[in-house]
């Protein structure tokens, strides 16, 4: 398969299931570093709105759990709960002092966007934005807005932007400031955990109701540059396996990686598709991808993760990506994933995975 055809095939499956680029998937698979993970930007539209606006960089200030209370930063956790009440995990992470205060704001006349801070864990970083809508009538008609941004490093943003999709998140209106919205956006661990410079480029602000201008999507161009110190994100436990093989009867899956974070527990498997009965002689994986995804979902739905006697059912079964050219894995190797609820893997004495009565020891 030619490079262009391969990239298109990878982009097709990523857009359909993850909205990330082929290059990003392959880069993550190649590196297999403990701090890498799948990036799943569900609901994201892949747009290529390229613009330049040089924003001033700001140093992050780390507030430890003790210092946070002493210096008056304790209410940040309470504030987070007010606007994102269902996300107790992030509120607790903030209360523990894991966040980086950025405090950069940029305006274009119509909107003022402030990148307030970064928090989360090393699996699932979060970016907290405040968006002020200067059109009061537009703000009055909308309880929410939709924010879109590229979150990359400088080199990738300047030279390979067409390979990536934007992250997105909905913002909730402040109950006391009627034209201000608070946005908590997921971010890519790949670019945010290495103590390196990060560029968050906000490119679009959208609304569900805009009766005056009959315009729902506003293109903006706001670039925030910052660094996330290691202490700002809560630790995640990473494990590698080389001897756990699980068969569905149709496909032999090899569990090779697990990530136990504050938000969920991620398991990744890889497998061969060439020569299997499911492939039926087909060598282009994307012609038979649905068959393999269905096989994985049927098998993974029966998994049970047991941690010190407590059983957990799967949260989500992922879709696969496959390397027919041998760039990420051996030629014909594919990978997919699943998640369970977050568990304390580091402190647990026993962690097992049960599949159709067979028990596999993970710890």
């Amino acid at each position: 398969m030619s490079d262009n055809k391969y990239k298109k095939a990878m982009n097709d499956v990523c857009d359909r299931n993850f909205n990330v680029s082929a290059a990003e998937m392959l880069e993550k698979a190649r590196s297999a570093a403990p701090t890498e993970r799948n990036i799943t930007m569900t609901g994201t539209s892949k747009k290529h709105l390229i613009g330049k606006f040089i924003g001033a960089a700001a140093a992050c200030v780390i507030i430890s759990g003790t210092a946070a209370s002493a210096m008056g930063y304790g209410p940040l956790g309470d504030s987070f709960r007010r606007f994102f009440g269902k996300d107790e995990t992030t509120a607790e992470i903030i209360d523990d002092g894991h966040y980086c205060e950025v405090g950069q704001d940029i305006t274009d006349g119509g909107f003022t966007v402030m990148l307030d801070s970064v928090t989360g864990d090393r699996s699932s970083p979060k970016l907290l934005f405040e968006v002020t809508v200067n059109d009061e009538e537009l703000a009055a008609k909308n309880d929410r807005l939709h924010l879109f941004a590229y979150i990359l490093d400088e080199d990738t943003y300047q030279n390979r932007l067409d390979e990536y999709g934007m992250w997105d998140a909905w913002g909730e209106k402040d109950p006391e400031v009627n034209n201000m919205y608070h946005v908590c956006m997921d971010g890519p661990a790949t670019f945010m955990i290495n103590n390196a410079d990060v560029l968050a480029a906000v490119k679009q602000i959208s609304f569900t109701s805009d009766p005056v201008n009959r315009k729902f999507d506003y293109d903006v161009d706001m670039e925030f540059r910052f660094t996330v110190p290691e202490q700002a994100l809560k630790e995640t436990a990473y494990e590698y396996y080389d001897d756990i093989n699980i068969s569905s009867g149709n496909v032999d899956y090899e569990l090779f990686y697990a990530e136990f974070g504050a938000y969920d527990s991620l398991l990744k498997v890889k497998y061969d598709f060439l020569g299997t009965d499911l492939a039926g002689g087909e060598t282009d994986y994307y012609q038979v991808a649905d068959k393999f995804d269905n096989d994985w979902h049927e098998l993974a739905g029966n998994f049970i993760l047991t941690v010190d006697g407590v059983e957990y059912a799967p949260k989500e079964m992922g879709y696969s990506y496959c390397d027919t050219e041998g760039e990420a894995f051996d030629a014909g190797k594919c990978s997919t994933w699943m998640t369970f609820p977050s568990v304390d893997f580091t402190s647990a004495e026993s962690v097992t995975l049960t599949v159709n009565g067979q028990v596999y020891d993970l710890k």
Side-chain angles (χ1 to χ4, degrees):
M1 187 187 301
S2 69
D3 289 344
N4 288 338
K5 186 176 180 182
Y6 179 69
K7 178 188 282 190
K8 181 181 185 302
M10 285 293 290
N11 278 331
D12 286 346
V13 73
C14 291
D15 280 339
R16 187 171 70 248
N17 301 307
F18 302 108
N19 289 317
V20 292
S21 73
E24 193 164 6
M25 286 289 194
L26 292 176
E27 179 60 30
K28 293 168 67 58
R30 284 193 194 99
S31 59
T35 52
E36 301 276 350
R37 68 162 296 166
N38 273 343
I39 298 176
T40 59
M41 295 182 279
T42 37
T44 304
S45 299
K46 190 170 186 180
K47 302 177 186 291
H48 306 302
L49 305 173
I50 302 176
K52 302 290 181 284
F53 182 97
I54 304 302
C60 287
V61 179
I62 298 303
I63 309 297
S64 69
T66 302
S69 298
M71 297 180 64
Y73 284 92
L76 182 59
D78 293 334
S79 176
F80 186 89
R81 288 186 179 89
R82 286 174 59 204
F83 303 115
F84 311 102
K86 294 181 180 179
D87 189 354
E88 287 293 323
T89 299
T90 301
E92 291 171 3
I93 288 174
I94 293 172
D95 284 341
D96 289 341
H98 294 291
Y99 67 93
C100 161
E101 189 175 12
V102 181
Q104 293 182 40
D105 63 88
I106 299 174
T107 185
D108 67 355
F111 304 96
T112 298
V113 178
M114 181 176 76
L115 175 54
D116 180 81
S117 52
V118 174
T119 185
D121 74 350
R122 293 174 67 82
S123 301
S124 303
K126 312 285 184 182
L127 297 91
L128 305 180
F129 293 91
E130 287 184 1
V131 181
T132 300
V133 179
N134 294 333
D135 184 335
E136 293 187 3
E137 187 169 0
L138 177 61
K141 295 291 185 180
N142 290 274
D143 290 330
R144 300 195 304 164
L145 60 72
H146 204 178
L147 193 69
F148 295 82
Y150 290 105
I151 305 170
L152 304 163
D153 60 24
E154 185 80 32
D155 178 70
T156 303
Y157 180 72
Q158 299 296 348
N159 300 308
R160 297 187 289 127
L161 189 63
D162 62 339
E163 299 175 2
Y164 289 83
M166 290 189 288
W167 295 75
D168 71 305
W170 286 92
E172 303 294 332
K173 184 179 288 187
D174 190 301
E176 298 176 359
V177 183
N178 62 12
N179 64 334
M180 178 184 290
Y181 299 78
H182 299 266
V183 182
C184 179
M185 181 181 290
D186 290 339
T190 303
F191 296 106
M192 295 181 65
I193 60 175
N194 302 315
N195 298 321
D197 291 339
V198 182
L199 191 157
V202 176
K203 292 295 185 181
Q204 184 173 303
I205 300 174
S206 301
F207 300 87
T208 56
S209 178
D210 190 351
V212 176
N213 298 317
R214 298 191 177 277
K215 179 181 179 183
F216 299 89
D217 301 327
Y218 290 79
D219 294 344
V220 297
D221 195 2
M222 302 176 179
E223 297 177 2
F224 302 88
R225 289 170 172 82
F226 58 99
T227 301
V228 183
E230 183 176 356
Q231 306 97 309
L233 302 175
K234 186 174 181 179
E235 284 296 328
T236 293
Y238 307 94
E239 294 292 320
Y240 295 88
Y241 303 97
D242 58 10
D243 60 352
I244 296 181
N245 296 289
I246 303 167
S247 177
S248 68
N250 298 311
V251 179
D252 293 327
Y253 296 98
E254 178 186 347
L255 175 64
F256 70 97
Y257 176 71
E259 186 175 290
F260 299 93
Y263 297 92
D264 56 37
S265 303
L266 170 75
L267 303 182
K268 294 183 70 174
V269 301
K270 56 186 176 182
Y271 61 93
D272 288 310
F273 91 94
L274 293 170
T276 62
D277 289 340
L278 277 181
E282 178 62 63
T283 58
D284 182 349
Y285 176 77
Y286 298 101
Q287 298 300 316
V288 291
D290 289 345
K291 292 182 181 180
F292 285 87
D293 285 334
N294 290 339
D295 185 83
W296 169 245
H297 290 175
E298 184 174 348
L299 176 68
N302 297 317
F303 283 26
I304 300 172
L305 184 70
T306 304
V307 181
D308 291 340
V310 180
E311 295 184 350
Y312 298 90
K315 287 175 59 179
E316 185 178 9
M317 277 75 74
Y319 293 84
S320 6
Y321 59 99
C322 193
D323 182 9
T324 57
E325 299 293 318
E327 295 183 37
F329 307 109
D330 296 334
K333 283 279 189 176
C334 306
S335 180
T336 188
W337 53 272
M338 69 184 305
T339 61
F340 287 92
S342 174
V343 300
D344 189 352
F345 183 89
T346 302
S347 301
E349 294 185 3
S350 171
V351 181
T352 63
L353 184 67
T354 303
V355 186
N356 295 331
Q358 177 69 44
V359 179
Y360 302 90
D361 293 325
L362 303 187
K363 182 179 181 182

